[in-house]
Amino acid sequence: MTESATAPRYAPGTHPDLPPPRRTTGVAGWMYKNLFSSPLNIALTVIGAFVLYSIVPPMLEWAFLKSIWTAESRVECWDKMEVPEEAACWAFIKGRLNIFIYGFYPEAERWRVNVSFVLLIFAVLPVLYDRLPQRKRWFWYVAAFPFLAGWLLVGGFGLTPVDTDQFGGFMLTLIIGVTGISFSLPIGIALALGRTSDLPALRILCVLFIEFIRGVPLIALLFVASTMLNYFLPPGTTFDLLMRVLIMVTLFSAAYIAEVVRGGLQGIPKGQVEAADSLGLPYWKAQRLIVLPQALKISIPGIVNTFIGLYKDTTLVLIIGMLDPLGIGNASLADAVWAGLAREVYLFIAVFFFLCCFGMSRYSLYLERKLHTGHEEI
Amino acid sequence: MKTTTSATAGAIALALGLAGSAQAGTLEDVQARGVLNCVVSTGVAGFAYPDDAGKWHGFDVDFCRATAAAVLGDPEAIKAVTSTGKTRFTKLNAGEGDVLWRNTTITFSRDVGVKLRFHGVNYYDGQGFMVPKSLGISSAKELDGASVCIQTGTTTELNLADYFHSNGMKYEAVTIETNNEARQNYLAGRCDVYTTDASGLASTRSTFTDPENHVVLPEIISKEPLGPATRHGDDQWSDIVTWVLNATVTAEEKGVTSANVDDMMANSKDPEVLRLLGVEGNQGSELGLSADWAYNIIKSVGNYGEIFERNIGVNTPIGLARGLNALWTDGGLQYSPPFR
């Protein structure tokens, strides 16, 4: 009775909202709902926490807390630890960062790689971000970029020539990845249009090409590029190996892009094409204004998926003797000063690839959201 | 059938003829280019590896430098054409490399089938076994029932099977792809024994935190003579590579080192040393090189023993003893025909 005596009285309908019941809000509520809502969930949470506990702290300790950042050799690194080999020896990666990035590119000329990289950022910007002022004018620069970068990297016309077999490391990955990605998209779209075309000769040609490329593993194509072509070409002619690899990688991913885009084209209702026809639009205008914008939009996840695959496949050039980051890593492990630090090398390369691929994947999500015009539920 | 065969033979002959005519002058090509292209591996401890600055080092790379010193007078005028085990011969035969110094075992099928010319042995290797000392094993004959880490697709796999079969023993293979993988597996105890070429075992052991607790067993179960190779069809170039290797061995035999070569040149009474260093005779011009070709090799790279000790010898992390690679006068197999 005392409670009701002290509690304030309200006129009907004016009682303020009561707080939500305990256990449904805040940290406790979230934990109850997501972690401990049933005996099964409690068990899973406990197991999960135990697994995290047994993996994460030792990982952090290995990679950061106990790791050694400056040393001249593996032995010195291990001497600095309480127990040899108990933690990461990042001094290895730090000392070799230059050849991981530039490969065997001559030291005096490395500024050219840096300039190309900055130019690359400016070339990618207008493609990725459509609210850039003066975007149309930027595209002249984008079109000129491959030639500009090619000139900077290979040299000639006033710059010291650098053989492409001196290229290596992350620079090589970026060259193969960016070239493959930017050239395979237009080729892939053209192939997809060719495959869905009404002209039989063109259609058969495109089908043959796509099916041939899809039927052969990339590694086989790379072997053809590196070994067989030498036998087909007249003796004495050397055709740059990097060029051969770039062509093969581009064709390979173009065939996959073509199939992804064809999927997109088939997802466009026939009525759209018929509407374009009834407006009197010629073929190319109909494709450019009506079909492709819609088809490409729904193909985005597939296209980006292909790109990520291509980007990671660049490591296969290791097998034909080109030193991409993985190749540089293997070669570095042969240096007796550092040999035995394989974990550091592979983790470092994995982080690089993860950052690149995760970035691509997030950008594609952003693009999907931006282009979403409300035709389907999310 | 017969016509097809002869037509094929004709085509091959034509192709070879074309290839031969285009590649006849490797020496002229190299001298015009000013750089020697050596096919080397993508990384074998002690034999070929890049340092922190991206410069190549190693036993094989030093022989490449020796060749460049002989041909161009400059040991740094080399370019490393990196190649994997699968692409090495194509790179050589396609002309991307002038000479192959890439820990390559000389075999019949490579010499005859792949159409290479081998020029002697710069390293006598052979397959061996490494075990932890704690197992208390002292001979490979005691390995019955052991689990063995072995690289797939190599001749070592076949040698191992033959060896165990002929000794009536059984083993359990733990297949691995690379040397680094083998190291992790062996240290984690997933295999009792690691087998590969003895030089590889030594370099792997050198990367352990406790190398003293592991032993390489005395049995060597295969012959792996490693040597340089060139293409068919250029005898002059083949002679040069052969005698570059012989010059390093002869220099060691005669006690000519990078330190005393100038002194030897001025004061030696040994006619073979004088011929080697180009003081007497005209062996350089017979090879198509300058008279001081061998002097350049020894002055800049050193004799065989120096190259060995600098890259893989007992005082390096690899720590290999000379063994079979000692001079014939010291009980080894390194033997050079005379410079006469």
Side-chain angles (χ1 to χ4, degrees):
Chain A
M1 285 309 275
T2 49
E3 252 181 57
S4 67
T6 54
R9 293 181 158 273
Y10 298 98
T14 61
H15 196 292
D17 291 343
L18 288 173
R22 270 195 317 127
R23 286 172 141 205
T24 59
T25 57
V27 180
W30 182 89
M31 282 175 67
Y32 177 74
K33 209 166 95 189
N34 293 295
L35 301 177
F36 302 108
S37 59
S38 69
L40 177 66
N41 280 354
I42 292 172
L44 288 178
T45 301
V46 170
I47 294 171
F50 177 74
V51 170
L52 282 181
Y53 170 75
S54 46
I55 292 177
V56 175
M59 268 293 276
L60 289 178
E61 203 166 77
W62 181 83
F64 299 107
L65 297 180
K66 290 193 173 174
S67 60
I68 304 293
W69 291 79
T70 43
E72 291 300 311
S73 70
R74 176 196 67 227
V75 179
E76 194 189 329
C77 237
W78 286 352
D79 282 347
K80 286 187 176 181
M81 298 173 193
E82 288 158 33
V83 183
E85 231 184 339
E86 65 165 353
C89 178
W90 296 119
F92 175 32
I93 305 292
K94 218 170 98 188
R96 296 227 160 203
L97 206 54
N98 274 334
I99 71 167
F100 268 112
I101 295 174
Y102 302 105
F104 300 98
Y105 209 83
E107 235 169 314
E109 308 290 331
R110 282 180 186 162
W111 61 271
R112 281 154 54 177
V113 182
N114 296 339
V115 171
S116 309
F117 184 72
V118 174
L119 291 179
L120 170 71
I121 294 174
F122 282 109
V124 167
L125 204 65
V127 178
L128 298 187
Y129 187 62
D130 63 352
R131 265 172 287 178
L132 203 70
Q134 304 276 332
R135 190 167 179 240
K136 281 205 171 142
R137 290 196 191 159
W138 276 96
F139 276 108
W140 289 106
Y141 165 66
V142 175
F145 170 75
F147 303 98
L148 203 61
W151 171 61
L152 271 173
L153 292 175
V154 180
F157 303 105
L159 289 174
T160 324
V162 177
D163 288 338
T164 55
D165 53 13
Q166 307 291 97
F167 292 15
F170 294 129
M171 164 195 168
L172 184 67
T173 303
L174 274 178
I175 291 175
I176 301 176
V178 169
T179 315
I181 286 172
S182 48
F183 283 91
S184 67
L185 186 61
I187 299 176
I189 293 175
L191 282 170
L193 289 176
R195 190 167 184 172
T196 51
S197 152
D198 294 331
L199 308 168
L202 183 66
R203 193 173 61 231
I204 290 171
L205 210 65
C206 289
V207 170
L208 278 179
F209 176 83
I210 292 171
E211 294 304 330
F212 170 72
I213 297 278
R214 287 210 306 163
V216 181
L218 178 57
I219 191 72
L221 289 178
L222 289 178
F223 270 122
V224 169
S226 80
T227 59
M228 302 290 286
L229 276 184
N230 286 321
Y231 292 119
F232 299 151
L233 294 169
T237 45
T238 46
F239 181 35
D240 192 75
L241 179 62
L242 179 64
M243 200 63 186
R244 285 179 258 161
V245 167
L246 286 178
I247 292 173
M248 284 302 180
V249 167
T250 306
L251 294 182
F252 185 80
S253 103
Y256 280 83
I257 295 282
E259 286 303 281
V260 171
V261 174
R262 186 169 68 98
L265 289 174
Q266 283 172 347
I268 306 300
K270 193 112 179 81
Q272 296 284 327
V273 185
E274 285 164 359
D277 284 344
S278 67
L279 283 172
L281 289 177
Y283 176 80
W284 284 110
K285 269 196 173 167
Q287 296 297 333
R288 188 166 62 84
L289 297 173
I290 296 185
V291 179
L292 279 180
Q294 302 184 68
L296 289 182
K297 191 183 82 186
I298 52 178
S299 316
I300 288 171
I303 291 177
V304 174
N305 202 21
T306 312
F307 284 165
I308 291 176
L310 160 74
Y311 195 74
K312 290 192 289 189
D313 281 350
T314 56
T315 51
L316 288 177
V317 297
L318 163 77
I319 301 185
I320 56 171
M322 297 179 93
L323 295 183
D324 78 318
L326 223 47
I328 295 276
N330 282 342
S332 299
L333 289 172
D335 185 347
V337 177
W338 294 109
L341 301 175
R343 282 175 292 189
E344 284 84 344
V345 171
Y346 294 128
L347 191 71
F348 172 63
I349 296 167
V351 167
F352 165 77
F353 274 98
F354 176 78
L355 288 180
C356 294
C357 296
F358 188 67
M360 278 194 256
S361 141
R362 297 317 291 185
Y363 177 75
S364 98
L365 282 181
Y366 154 80
L367 207 59
E368 277 170 55
R369 270 200 304 276
K370 194 181 75 180
L371 298 179
H372 177 64
T373 44
H375 287 304
E376 81 271 6
E377 296 287 322
I378 286 188
Chain B
M1 190 59 203
K2 202 174 175 191
T3 45
T4 341
T5 323
S6 58
T8 319
I12 291 173
L14 187 68
L16 286 179
L18 283 173
S21 66
Q23 295 165 350
T26 312
L27 177 63
E28 287 77 18
D29 289 351
V30 172
Q31 285 175 336
R33 201 189 305 133
V35 170
L36 177 74
N37 293 337
C38 292
V39 179
V40 300
S41 84
T42 52
V44 172
F47 286 82
Y49 58 89
D51 65 9
D52 290 358
K55 191 178 165 198
W56 285 84
H57 297 278
F59 187 71
D60 281 338
V61 177
D62 270 355
F63 275 102
C64 172
R65 289 216 162 86
T67 318
V71 175
L72 300 165
D74 177 6
E76 298 307 321
I78 59 161
K79 194 170 84 178
V81 178
T82 50
S83 72
T84 59
K86 297 180 180 74
T87 59
R88 54 185 159 183
F89 302 131
T90 339
K91 292 218 177 199
L92 182 64
N93 275 334
E96 281 178 50
D98 303 310
V99 56
L100 177 141
W101 290 99
R102 191 203 174 281
N103 57 334
T104 296
T105 306
I106 306 169
T107 65
F108 178 90
S109 62
R110 285 172 180 172
D111 196 355
V112 179
V114 191
K115 299 197 187 308
L116 299 177
R117 188 141 291 168
F118 285 99
H119 306 288
V121 179
N122 69 338
Y123 189 83
Y124 287 95
D125 214 339
Q127 188 177 343
F129 299 96
M130 177 166 63
V131 292
K133 251 187 194 153
S134 54
L135 287 184
I137 286 176
S138 58
S139 158
K141 299 259 163 60
E142 302 166 30
L143 286 175
D144 196 11
S147 59
V148 184
C149 271
I150 178 113
Q151 286 185 32
T152 51
T154 59
T155 50
T156 51
E157 205 175 5
L158 306 174
N159 294 334
L160 179 76
D162 287 354
Y163 182 76
F164 272 73
H165 183 73
S166 60
N167 284 296
M169 302 191 294
K170 283 192 171 51
Y171 69 98
E172 186 195 334
V174 179
T175 53
I176 42 103
E177 192 63 38
T178 64
N179 194 35
N180 287 313
E181 205 183 322
R183 179 182 182 274
Q184 302 290 350
N185 277 296
Y186 175 79
L187 286 180
R190 276 189 280 277
C191 49
D192 308 321
V193 190
Y194 176 36
T195 179
T196 187
D197 288 349
S199 62
L201 289 180
S203 68
T204 306
R205 189 173 64 163
S206 72
T207 69
F208 292 173
T209 48
D210 56 342
E212 66 282 359
N213 291 334
H214 301 268
V215 286
V216 175
L217 299 177
E219 282 86 355
I220 297 292
I221 64 167
S222 73
K223 289 187 289 187
E224 308 283 347
L226 311 180
T230 56
R231 292 181 285 272
H232 270 187
D234 190 343
D235 294 336
Q236 186 194 17
W237 182 245
S238 297
D239 287 346
I240 291 173
V241 176
T242 308
W243 287 94
V244 164
L245 176 56
N246 288 339
T248 62
V249 176
T250 302
E252 187 184 9
E253 209 178 307
K254 297 286 177 190
V256 188
T257 65
S258 56
N260 71 8
V261 63
D262 289 309
D263 179 50
M264 286 291 228
M265 203 162 170
N267 302 324
S268 176
K269 298 281 182 287
D270 187 332
E272 190 169 359
V273 171
L274 295 178
R275 278 196 297 273
L276 174 72
L277 298 176
V279 182
E280 285 177 9
N282 55 348
Q283 291 178 334
S285 62
E286 282 176 45
L287 274 175
L289 302 175
S290 61
D292 59 356
W293 66 280
Y295 168 82
N296 287 336
I297 296 176
I298 298 157
K299 182 75 187 164
S300 56
V301 189
N303 65 32
Y304 182 88
E306 289 177 85
I307 296 174
F308 191 101
E309 294 302 338
R310 179 166 58 235
N311 292 296
I312 50 180
V314 282
N315 294 322
T316 65
I318 310 291
L320 287 167
R322 287 291 290 269
L324 288 176
N325 296 291
L327 290 179
W328 63 287
T329 46
D330 300 334
L333 292 173
Q334 286 297 348
Y335 181 100
S336 161
F339 274 75
R340 186 173 297 129

